[in-house]
Amino acid sequence: MHDEFIAPRYGGDSLSSLLPSIEARLKSGSPIVDIPRASRYVILLVDGLGVHPLQEHVDHADTLAERLDTAMTLTCSVPSTTATSLTSLGCGVPPGQHGVVGYTFLDPARDQLLNALTWEGGPEDVPGFRCHDTAFQRLTVGGQNSGVVSLGRFQDSALTRLAFDGTEHFGIEREADTGHFVDLVLRALDTNTVVYGYQRMLDHNGHGHGVGSWQWLESLAHIDDMVAELAAALPADTCLLVTGDHGMVNVPLERKIVAEDHAALDGCRHIGGEARFRQLYCDDPTRIAAAWSEFLGDRAHVVTRKQALRAGWFGPHVDPRVVPRIGDVLVAMRQDWGIMTSAFPGEFSLVGMHGSLTAEEMMVPLFCFGPR
């Protein structure tokens, strides 16, 4: 694996270890991630909040800047993408156990790609597709209730059912209203021991305008204000944990390679994943991996599924039901390159991207506020 890549720290300081650590603290056990002891916990997940982008622009985030030197650093899962990270967080296990192995990946039962965010192409039995219970379900069995604060339209989404089954949903109606968000979190704490809150606009503006754009910086400042207001409003017995699901890399137009424009990249039955982490489904993985590796050279790290499993990209233990969902060949882009496909025309307009194993994409912060 290239030196610039970061291996996921499953079983250690990783996003998938956060809820098991909260479970341990609530049971007076030993956590994997050394979070503070508290009676209640609020997790604020900021979509797209990576360590490296934050460090580069921390002058726009006064509250987070004060704690950056003492913040912990976690790895997200592979690939470094929202659907995989949120399900890893919500289930408390790596993707090889829960089964959401990317943004778009194969449903082998029907030999077609599904989109884990929109659930286009996904099966009707959403809970049955997930291969592991959520941590929230386990908390409920142990007598600890959980709540989720996210956009109202997300309440019945497939991703919410995959990652957050077992929670009470509190729907955000006014996304830009910090006070409204804080009020919902406080309301959720009235009946729940663990509350998860989700904010998406940093990622949204990163995709649309790029990391460091004025729109992205404005979102970062808004998040910083929200963290300050939320930390001040929480009860004294509550710990606020602020983290992200992945970082982001800006991909210039001249660094976007279109797979269909090059005969050397032919031969795939499906091209899934996303521009920074393609999952190729094919009948001859060895040949396809060699062809893509030769063509891309030092612009990408190309491995077969077997190599990725041996390297632990999807966790130390991979459920047999999950194995065929993973690409026969995996293409992890290096530096600021992207591999595009005409199958997903909407991706061509993106500026900021993620999915690969670079430090900019894999490393997320963990800030702890309270209890007081």
Side-chain angles (χ1 to χ4, degrees):
M1 193 163 72
H2 287 282
D3 291 342
E4 71 187 281
F5 281 1
I6 299 293
R9 297 197 291 255
Y10 303 128
D13 287 340
S14 71
L15 202 58
S16 60
S17 299
L18 190 53
L19 273 169
S21 298
I22 290 175
E23 289 182 80
R25 282 298 195 204
L26 292 173
K27 296 176 181 178
S28 300
S30 299
I32 303 168
V33 182
D34 190 18
I35 57 174
R37 291 181 177 85
S39 299
R40 292 180 287 183
Y41 290 89
V42 172
I43 303 169
L44 173 60
L45 187 134
V46 179
D47 200 327
L49 184 66
V51 168
H52 289 267
L54 177 60
Q55 287 174 334
E56 188 175 350
H57 302 286
V58 74
D59 54 330
H60 291 264
D62 293 344
T63 301
L64 298 181
E66 292 177 359
R67 293 175 178 250
L68 189 59
D69 289 341
T70 57
M72 288 180 272
T73 300
L74 309 179
T75 64
C76 63
S77 297
V78 175
S80 53
T81 198
T82 297
T84 300
S85 285
L86 294 195
T87 314
S88 295
L89 171 71
C91 291
V93 295
Q97 291 177 254
H98 61 66
V100 179
V101 296
Y103 167 56
T104 61
F105 59 93
L106 189 71
D107 177 3
R110 294 176 295 165
D111 191 32
Q112 69 179 48
L113 294 178
L114 65 85
N115 184 309
L117 292 184
T118 66
W119 209 240
E120 181 182 356
E124 290 186 13
D125 183 10
V126 176
F129 187 80
R130 188 186 62 232
C131 299
H132 199 282
D133 289 342
T134 71
F136 301 106
Q137 290 170 316
R138 298 194 299 273
L139 282 166
T140 300
V141 170
Q144 308 285 356
N145 294 330
S146 305
V148 165
V149 177
S150 66
L151 287 177
R153 69 173 185 268
F154 292 165
Q155 179 171 358
D156 297 317
S157 72
L159 184 57
T160 295
R161 296 165 69 190
L162 287 166
F164 305 113
D165 257 1
T167 61
E168 179 183 7
H169 192 269
F170 295 81
I172 298 171
E173 299 175 358
R174 301 184 301 279
E175 190 171 14
D177 186 340
T178 296
H180 173 56
F181 181 85
V182 172
D183 286 345
L184 286 174
V185 171
L186 294 176
R187 190 191 312 169
L189 279 172
D190 286 340
T191 53
N192 296 284
T193 306
V194 179
V195 175
Y196 165 87
Y198 174 75
Q199 287 293 317
R200 69 183 183 97
M201 289 308 295
L202 189 71
D203 179 77
H204 177 78
N205 282 320
H207 282 310
H209 306 283
V211 174
S213 65
W214 70 262
Q215 295 92 338
W216 187 90
L217 293 173
E218 190 173 82
S219 292
L220 179 61
H222 176 75
I223 289 297
D224 192 72
D225 291 341
M226 176 178 290
V227 169
E229 187 169 336
L230 183 57
L234 289 179
D237 69 347
T238 304
C239 176
L240 170 63
L241 302 170
V242 180
T243 189
D245 55 346
H246 55 73
M248 189 170 282
V249 173
N250 290 340
V251 178
L253 182 61
E254 64 273 15
R255 298 269 190 159
K256 295 178 179 178
I257 304 162
V258 182
E260 288 80 7
D261 289 349
H262 304 281
L265 305 182
D266 288 344
C268 299
R269 191 170 72 256
H270 302 290
I271 299 179
E274 53 200 299
R276 293 283 296 166
F277 191 89
R278 285 294 173 208
Q279 304 202 40
L280 312 179
Y281 301 90
C282 55
D283 298 323
D284 189 350
T286 302
R287 182 184 69 80
I288 293 296
W292 280 64
S293 182
E294 181 180 2
F295 177 82
L296 292 172
D298 63 3
R299 295 174 292 187
H301 184 57
V302 182
V303 298
T304 63
R305 177 200 292 153
K306 290 181 179 179
Q307 291 171 322
L309 294 179
R310 282 199 299 268
W313 283 12
F314 296 90
H317 307 291
V318 178
D319 190 306
R321 294 170 292 176
V322 175
V323 172
R325 301 179 186 181
I326 300 168
D328 297 293
V329 175
L330 303 170
V331 183
M333 303 306 292
R334 297 183 60 212
Q335 301 166 4
D336 57 354
W337 290 94
I339 183 76
M340 319 303 292
T341 171
S342 57
F344 302 115
E347 293 182 3
F348 284 82
S349 64
L350 302 182
V351 180
M353 299 182 184
H354 50 80
S356 193
L357 288 84
T358 66
E360 288 80 3
E361 293 157 284
M362 286 290 294
M363 308 301 291
V364 297
L366 180 63
F367 295 92
C368 305
F369 297 82
R372 296 190 297 276

